[in-house]
């Protein structure tokens, strides 16, 4: 069976064993949360704003505030990923597997912990992103603040320099964080969780992405509504766009991910066959399972639906405004 599969896929054989591809998959598996944040950063700061600006028949001010929200969100997500996700990822990477009681559950639990760093920081990220929307909106129109000293303080917060210097990216084996994660992985509750859900490991990244997106959206909507710096006329398009984008991306993202997963099953099986003797095969497969949904959701959210959601949110805002004026 293996010979036939390999023969039918001779064109892919070099790809299956390509050192660059294998090392990339390993890096994605080791830094799954950071990879996700990086993809979001590129999509939020570049692709989505371009799509929003290309939306026909939408108000210029609405485009500006929606682009500002996207850029602010991407920057905040990346900064927090550097401060939270990377130390956790490096701590997990440096855990001595000899000390793990159930090695079969290790990969599932370690990947869950790494991806959870985006989940647990979702609410703080959404609040910070909303707080920076007015600043980014002003920068997009090159609007100058009267108090330049205050503006300079916002753009260059002194506390961030201290925070950056205190981040431990080395993830030493004897660090408190590493020992804490190791204790969690060896706990009965974590092992029971892995025994019950590790069979769904291939869908772990997708499911965590959905949960994270729901929390980000809820946090953003509440923060936008409560913000005193965002004008009321700007809140409606932001909230409508956020809810639409989240709902559509979850539905389409999950559907496309399932389709791509089924279509690529034979390719993944052949990849396994070609790397059976490679001790890092499990990690490569983790990389594939993170790469697939991350790219799909990023394309859907940041490239495919922004024009539609911007157009709809703009129209709905105009309708509501017209009703209020009557």
């Amino acid at each position: 069976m293996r010979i036939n599969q390999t023969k039918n896929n001779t064109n892919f054989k070099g790809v299956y064993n390509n050192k660059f591809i294998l090392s990339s998959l390993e890096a994605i598996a080791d830094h799954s949360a950071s990879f996700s944040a990086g993809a979001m950063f590129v999509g939020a700061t570049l692709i989505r704003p371009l799509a929003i600006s290309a939306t026909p028949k939408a108000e210029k001010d609405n485009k500006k505030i929606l682009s500002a929200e996207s850029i602010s969100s991407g920057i905040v997500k990346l900064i927090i990923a550097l401060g939270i996700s990377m130390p956790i990822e490096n701590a997990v990477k440096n855990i001595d597997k000899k000390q793990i009681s159930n090695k079969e559950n290790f990969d599932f639990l370690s990947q869950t912990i790494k991806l959870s760093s985006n989940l647990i920081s979702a609410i703080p990220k959404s609040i910070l992103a909303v707080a920076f929307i007015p600043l980014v909106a002003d920068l997009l129109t090159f609007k100058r603040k009267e108090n330049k000293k205050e503006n300079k303080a916002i753009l260059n917060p002194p506390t961030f320099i201290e925070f950056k210097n205190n981040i431990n990216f080395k993830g030493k084996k004897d660090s408190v964080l590493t020992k804490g994660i190791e204790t969690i992985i060896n706990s009965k509750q974590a092992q029971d969780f892995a025994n019950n859900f590790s069979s769904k490991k291939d869908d772990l990244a997708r499911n965590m992405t959905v949960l994270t997106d729901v929390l980000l959206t809820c946090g953003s909507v509440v923060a936008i509504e409560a913000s005193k710096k965002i004008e009321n006329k700007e809140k409606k398009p932001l909230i409508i766009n956020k809810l639409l984008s989240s709902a559509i991306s979850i539905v389409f993202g999950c559907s496309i991910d399932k389709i791509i997963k089924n279509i690529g099953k034979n390719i993944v099986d052949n990849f396994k066959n070609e790397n059976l003797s490679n001790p890092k095969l499990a990690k490569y497969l983790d990389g594939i399972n993170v790469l697939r949904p991350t790219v799909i959701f990023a394309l859907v959210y940041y490239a495919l639906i922004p024009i539609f959601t911007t157009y709809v949110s703009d129209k709905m805002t105009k309708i509501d405004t017209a009703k209020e004026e009557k």
Side-chain angles (χ1 to χ4, degrees):
M1 180 64 69
R2 181 184 171 187
I3 295 174
N4 292 334
Q5 288 177 329
T6 306
K7 184 177 180 180
N8 294 332
N9 292 275
T10 52
N11 293 333
F12 289 96
K13 187 172 181 179
V15 176
Y16 294 146
N17 302 116
N18 185 274
K19 291 183 179 180
F20 175 77
I21 292 177
L22 294 181
S23 61
S24 297
L25 290 175
E26 181 181 2
I28 291 171
D30 286 337
H31 300 283
S32 51
S34 298
F35 173 73
S36 176
M40 290 180 183
F41 174 76
V42 174
T45 59
L46 180 62
I47 300 174
R48 188 173 175 84
L50 288 175
I52 290 172
S53 64
T55 304
K57 299 180 181 181
E59 292 290 337
K60 185 177 180 181
D61 288 343
N62 285 343
K63 290 182 180 181
K64 182 188 74 174
I65 198 68
L66 293 176
S67 295
E69 185 277 329
S70 182
I71 293 171
S72 176
S73 175
I75 293 173
V76 168
K77 287 173 184 176
L78 184 64
I79 291 175
I80 291 184
L82 293 175
I84 296 177
S85 299
M86 286 193 70
I88 291 176
E89 291 166 346
N90 286 313
V92 171
K93 185 177 179 180
N94 287 312
I95 289 177
D96 186 355
K97 293 184 182 180
K98 294 179 182 178
Q99 304 299 319
I100 302 300
S101 59
N102 190 331
K103 295 180 179 60
E104 293 181 0
N105 289 338
F106 175 77
D107 289 339
F108 174 76
L109 291 171
S110 62
Q111 201 61 255
T112 300
I113 290 172
K114 286 183 284 188
L115 292 170
S116 293
S117 64
N118 279 340
L119 184 66
I120 61 178
S121 62
I123 298 297
K125 279 188 286 193
S126 58
I127 293 173
L128 281 174
V130 170
F132 279 98
I133 289 175
L135 174 62
V136 177
D138 288 345
L139 292 175
L140 289 176
T141 54
F142 302 100
K143 181 179 178 181
R144 295 183 179 180
K145 296 283 186 181
E146 292 182 5
N147 191 342
K148 293 183 180 180
K149 292 183 179 180
E150 181 181 351
N151 221 13
K152 185 177 180 181
I154 295 174
L155 290 172
N156 301 285
T159 54
F160 175 70
I161 297 175
E162 299 172 6
F163 172 71
K164 182 178 178 182
N165 290 334
N166 288 330
I167 296 175
N168 179 14
F169 288 104
K170 294 182 180 180
K172 295 180 181 179
K173 290 186 178 182
D174 59 348
S175 70
V176 174
L177 182 59
T178 301
K179 290 181 178 179
I181 293 174
E182 188 175 312
T183 301
I184 292 173
I185 291 176
N186 278 320
S187 67
K188 182 180 184 303
Q189 293 83 354
Q191 291 297 321
D192 288 343
F193 175 78
N195 290 331
N196 292 329
F197 297 101
S198 60
S199 60
K200 303 292 184 181
K201 183 181 178 182
D202 292 355
D203 299 325
L204 177 62
R206 184 188 71 201
N207 295 336
M208 294 295 283
T209 298
V210 171
L211 290 174
T212 302
D213 188 44
V214 170
L215 285 181
L216 284 169
T217 301
C218 293
S220 295
V221 170
V222 173
I224 291 169
E225 190 63 42
S227 176
K228 296 180 179 179
K229 294 185 178 181
I230 300 176
E231 297 181 19
N232 289 331
K233 66 177 182 180
E234 296 174 331
K235 290 182 178 181
K236 285 185 178 179
L238 280 171
I239 292 174
I240 294 172
N241 190 278
K242 200 72 181 175
L243 292 172
L244 274 175
S245 297
S246 180
I248 295 174
S249 65
I250 288 174
V251 173
F252 277 83
C254 289
S255 300
I256 295 173
D257 182 68
K258 289 179 181 179
I259 293 172
I260 297 297
K261 181 182 174 182
N262 290 332
I263 292 176
K265 188 178 184 303
N266 289 334
I267 295 176
V268 173
D269 287 341
N270 286 314
F271 176 85
K272 291 179 184 178
N273 288 331
E274 290 297 330
N275 292 280
L276 281 177
S277 59
N278 195 317
K280 294 183 178 180
L281 176 58
K283 185 163 287 189
Y284 299 150
L285 295 175
D286 278 347
I288 291 173
N289 290 326
V290 171
L291 176 66
R292 188 192 67 247
T294 299
V295 172
I296 290 172
F297 275 87
L299 287 175
V300 172
Y301 188 89
Y302 297 111
L304 299 181
I305 66 174
I307 292 179
F308 172 76
T309 55
T310 300
Y311 179 82
V312 173
S313 62
D314 182 78
K315 292 301 178 184
M316 291 178 69
T317 302
K318 289 177 180 177
I319 292 172
D320 287 344
T321 302
K323 288 181 179 178
E324 290 176 359
E325 290 177 351
K326 288 181 179 181

